[in-house]
Amino acid sequence: MVRLGIVIGLVGCGGSTPTAVGHAGQPPTARMVVSPLARVASHEAFCAPTPADENGCVRACVDPPVAWKATSPTFPAVELWAQIERCPNDAAPPPVTCVFALAHGGTWFTTTGITCQRTGMSVMVDRMRLQPIVSRPAFEVFDYTVEGRLLSMDPGPNGERIDGSRAHDRRGLLACGLGPSGTPSCTAPIDIGGHDLEDHLVMRAWSLEGDQLVLAPTPEDLEHADDPTAAGGRFTLAFP
């Protein structure tokens, strides 16, 4: 059975206590970019195998195809669905992609896929879990953690290699809501922290104030070149 998770890798930053960056020097309020979601009739339709593409690759659900279920005031059902793409020439195990599936109006809407497992030489994945959902009128912020173990081969007392592992995690946010269109839309996932390679907890402070998501600047160890929220600030969650 495939276990769900994500490849986790943070650069060490030193220190033995959680690190969070404050809110000093925040830019003015900006509008958070949200994207429409794909509509799917049912979980069975999502799991139907796709025809092979020009490279012979096919997509299908993995076991378990529904990793967890939850409810929220805005969406009567929230589930995590998982798919895998198998290609005939893949030498390594293919990554598993997870989507948040939101029930609304008798159908389902799925977010952009998040790579939630990629088995490699240095990581072993256990699970992806949902923190308590933070609710506001017509939108929810999903706070989730992806947990796994970081594999290591440390030198032993006689020069031999000792295989070992330690807990490792990554935490993110995804805000989804309903605007005047009545069709769900969501932000892109926002990375807010986790344990680095030295097992230090590096966190990015965040909060909700009305319809605004307040984010501290991103610590250097968490930076992504394509993160529009890296400088921190107040971001209005306006769903179309």
Side-chain angles (χ1 to χ4, degrees):
M1 180 177 74
V2 178
R3 305 290 300 280
L4 298 184
I6 195 170
V7 176
I8 304 162
L10 298 177
V11 178
C13 67
S16 58
T17 57
T19 301
V21 178
H23 296 266
Q26 291 177 353
T29 301
R31 183 181 292 266
M32 179 71 75
V33 175
V34 298
S35 301
L37 305 184
R39 186 190 299 263
V40 59
S42 65
H43 179 251
E44 289 72 20
F46 175 81
C47 284
T50 61
D53 63 15
E54 64 273 13
N55 298 313
C57 301
V58 297
R59 289 196 309 273
C61 283
V62 298
D63 182 24
V66 178
W68 42 250
K69 300 179 180 182
T71 61
S72 79
T74 305
F75 304 105
V78 179
E79 299 183 354
L80 190 73
W81 295 353
Q83 273 189 335
I84 197 167
E85 183 178 69
R86 292 186 175 91
C87 299
N89 297 322
D90 283 345
V96 176
T97 299
C98 290
V99 300
F100 280 72
L102 312 175
H104 176 67
T107 190
W108 291 88
F109 295 83
T110 58
T111 65
T112 300
I114 302 169
T115 300
C116 55
Q117 179 174 335
R118 187 187 296 275
T119 304
M121 294 295 293
S122 62
V123 67
M124 174 171 41
V125 173
D126 293 320
R127 64 172 180 167
M128 183 173 180
R129 62 184 174 89
L130 187 65
Q131 311 286 0
I133 299 170
V134 183
S135 299
R136 290 292 187 273
F139 76 87
E140 318 289 343
V141 176
F142 302 109
D143 181 349
Y144 60 91
T145 300
V146 181
E147 300 172 329
R149 299 198 68 81
L150 186 69
L151 308 183
S152 64
M153 295 199 324
D154 299 321
N158 300 317
E160 74 276 13
R161 307 296 289 183
I162 299 176
D163 294 346
S165 68
R166 62 176 179 270
H168 206 44
D169 57 59
R170 202 65 179 262
R171 189 170 165 186
L173 302 176
L174 190 71
C176 300
L178 296 170
S181 70
T183 301
S185 56
C186 294
T187 66
I190 301 168
D191 195 356
I192 60 169
H195 287 83
D196 66 17
L197 297 179
E198 302 300 324
D199 202 28
H200 306 136
L201 181 60
V202 181
M203 290 297 298
R204 180 184 190 186
W206 71 278
S207 63
L208 271 181
E209 297 182 8
D211 64 350
Q212 293 182 349
L213 179 61
V214 183
L215 293 166
T218 303
E220 180 180 355
D221 298 336
L222 299 177
E223 283 184 355
H224 295 282
D226 58 351
D227 181 3
T229 72
R234 294 175 176 270
F235 297 88
T236 300
L237 294 164
F239 299 97

